[in-house]
Amino acid sequence: MIFYFSATGNSYWIARLLGERFGLPLVSVTEAAHRNVYRYDVSASSRLLFVLPVHSWGPSLSMLTFIRELELTGYRGQPVHAVCTCGDDCGETDRILRHALHRKGLALLGTFSVTMPNTYVLFPSFDVDPDDVAARKLAEAPARVAAIADAIDANRPAGSLYRAGSSAGVKTRLVYPLFRRFIRGRVRFHATDRCIGCGLCVTVCPENNIRMEGDRPVWSNRCVQCLACLHRCPTRAVEYGTKTQQKGRYKNPKVY
């Protein structure tokens, strides 16, 4: 079984590729949160995979919440691996995932990473990748996923198939805790006059943080800055204050 969280489609695409390779069903963390379903029978699964994006050099908070709530039946020691998607590098995301899964009685055998187009646009100097860079990353991803699947099949360590990057410990142990502490809560997301009231932002939010009031979305205080609402809006109506007015938008063209 493959448990995945994806805001813009990058991790979803990787999960689909792995699902096709191993013949495993996919479970969406966002759908689980909307349905409040965290109990799964894995007796028929040959292995367990967790596929997720890296946010500020640590696991996406929605995936950590899912792991904390997760209840498995039929677990008989099947191998457990994780695959991260990242714009550049992952820091010590593997360490945090290993500890989170250990608390659930699951031994993480290895964490791998796939470089994908950048999506975080809230910091002043951060933006989506230029089209040519995004296209190159997307073109290189299937071969990387195939190599990861081969390593998982052979139970080989991740090695070069996990990109921690430079100063990994500093990034994860200093920046990530600050990210977790300060991005939660009420934020400056809002819908502009371009909003058509489709409600897609409500559907894609993994934290059930958005509701419709009339024909406009309203954000509550449980945001984790996954940016699904901003990037997936079909009319580019979602903005974060004024920071994102000149920033790009991205959704994985292989799945959306």
Side-chain angles (χ1 to χ4, degrees), residues 52-187:
L52 64 149
V54 171
H55 291 167
S56 284
W57 299 289
S60 57
L61 298 186
S62 295
M63 177 58 87
L64 286 184
T65 298
F66 177 81
I67 292 173
R68 186 174 63 246
E69 300 294 330
L70 184 62
E71 296 182 25
L72 299 180
T73 61
Y75 178 66
R76 50 185 175 17
Q78 298 99 312
V80 180
H81 293 86
V83 179
C84 300
T85 58
C86 61
D88 295 295
D89 50 48
C90 301
E92 293 183 341
T93 296
D94 54 342
R95 174 181 59 83
I96 297 175
L97 283 174
R98 185 169 61 253
H99 290 167
L101 290 167
H102 177 74
R103 288 192 290 269
K104 304 301 294 189
L106 301 174
L108 182 62
L109 298 181
T111 302
F112 302 84
S113 66
V114 183
T115 302
M116 298 293 286
N118 280 301
T119 63
Y120 196 73
V121 297
L122 299 192
F123 287 165
S125 60
F126 285 43
D127 204 343
V128 299
D129 287 327
D131 289 346
D132 59 331
V133 174
R136 175 180 55 78
K137 290 181 177 180
L138 291 170
E140 293 173 351
R144 176 79 166 194
V145 173
I148 289 171
D150 288 343
I152 290 174
D153 239 351
N155 199 28
R156 295 196 302 268
S160 63
L161 293 175
Y162 178 79
R163 180 176 171 78
S166 61
S167 304
V170 172
K171 291 173 178 175
T172 299
R173 297 172 193 241
L174 293 182
V175 179
Y176 184 63
L178 293 173
F179 174 80
R180 294 184 64 169
R181 177 178 178 182
F182 291 110
I183 60 91
R184 283 189 179 276
R186 186 173 299 278
V187 291

Side-chain angles (χ1 to χ4, degrees), residues 18 26 28 47 49 51-52 59 69 83 87 105 125 131 144-145 149 160 165 185-186 199 216 230 236 239 256:
L18 290 167
L26 273 57
S28 165
R47 64 182 72 252
L49 298 177
V51 182
L52 64 149
E69 300 294 330
V83 179
S125 60
D131 289 346
R144 176 79 166 194
V145 173
S160 63
R186 186 173 299 278
R216 286 296 180 93
L230 182 140
R236 195 179 161 133
E239 300 283 4
Y256 298 132

